[in-house]
Amino acid sequence: MAMREWKTFLIPYKQAVEELKVKFRSIRTEYRRKNEYSPIEFVTGRVKEISSMLEKANKFDIPLDRIEYEMEDIAGIRIMCQFVDDIQKVVELIRQRNDMEIMYEKDYIANVKVSGYRSYHVVIKYPVNMAQGRVDILAEFQIRTLAMNFWATIEHSLNYKYKHDIPEAIKYKLKGAADSAFQLDQQMLEIKDEIKDAQKLFEVKSNIVSDIMNNILILSSIGKSIESVRYQSQLNKLIEEGEVFELNNLLSATEKTIEMFK
Ligand code: 0O2
Ligand code: 0O2
């Protein structure tokens, strides 16, 4: 394929990566708007480098005109989770969708790779609507925890540095690091519930505070500066250590005052 053809070939893949990033980032946004815990921490995506495609095609003896059918990670989406048990929730989110079709799944968490690599892979068929009509492409999700991602990112960059010939001593250390990452995930899972409660409480409180601030602004804009100053100073006292019920009381007080002056 000439360079120009590569560029055309990659258009639907670029499109797919952009769309899938938006779709899965929106899920996170939706959870947050609803004040719910999101199993998705962040989402990244990339179209495979041409050099990396050629290398892989060589390694697996894929003829260039078969690449689109046999190379499933030209479009790659990575979904990072805080906790190991979020991964299955994300897989479930993918299974439920009707804008993509799952081709197969690879569980490198139950079946850790020899390198120490852990992640859950889901390969999908995804329709892209192009100017000339619908094109179905393959795309790969890699779903992993932050610890798995940390390890994989560094191991991947070492692979580049050593051109896939990592010295045994370093491989050994990477294995040890993979074990540590695994331990870290286990420990985090144990304190997860505690963390989740704290995060949720923070979200709840910051929403009430923002509602109170809105009401204070309304009071000040309708000329009730004495009230607005008074509520502002009450809010300042609660902002650090205030309990949810105290913030809620202040919120209803501001609401009642606004009602009164309407
Ligand atoms: P925010 O507000 O930073 O979370 P684009 O398509 O232009 O939005 P692009 O160029 O594809 O994004 O960027 P990339 O490299 O895929 O990164 C996507 C998002 O992942 C960015 O967030 C990064 O901030 C976020 N990201 C990358 N690494 C980490 C990490 O270690 N922890 C966290 N929490 N986020 C990370 P956004 O979408 O720009 O928004
Ligand atoms: P890129 O674009 O550099 O990320 P394989 O035998 O692993 O080469 P296979 O079986 O077709 O190929 O695919 P697999 O294992 O389902 O997924 C391949 C992708 O998973 C890799 O993409 C990596 O992103 C990731 N991966 C798989 N194994 C490892 C590993 O040991 N370490 C790290 N860091 N990542 C891994 P590529 O091919 O590296 O392309």
Side-chain angles (χ1 to χ4, degrees), residues 46 48 59 106 108 113 115 117 121 142 152 155-156:
R46 62 104 186 87
K48 207 176 181 70
K59 182 176 154 197
K106 290 192 216 169
Y108 294 131
K113 281 202 165 187
S115 60
Y117 178 77
H121 292 192
Q142 298 182 342
E155 196 260 2
H156 195 272

Side-chain angles (χ1 to χ4, degrees), residues 51-91:
S51 59
S52 172
M53 277 193 256
L54 291 175
E55 204 181 299
K56 194 161 177 174
N58 262 336
K59 182 176 154 197
F60 292 103
D61 273 325
I62 305 173
L64 289 191
D65 59 349
R66 296 285 311 161
I67 277 188
E68 62 190 294
Y69 310 107
E70 292 181 30
M71 202 174 289
E72 66 286 291
D73 68 340
I74 298 175
I77 295 291
R78 214 165 258 172
I79 300 182
M80 265 54 69
C81 309
Q82 294 191 44
F83 303 103
V84 182
D85 62 352
D86 293 331
I87 293 174
Q88 275 312 308
K89 289 182 205 146
V90 174
V91 174

Side-chain angles (χ1 to χ4, degrees), residues 17-18 21 25 28 41-46 80 146 149:
V17 167
E18 290 310 313
K21 278 199 294 195
R25 283 174 185 163
R28 170 183 166 77
E41 179 59 15
F42 66 95
V43 181
T44 64
R46 62 104 186 87
M80 265 54 69
L146 295 167
N149 188 49

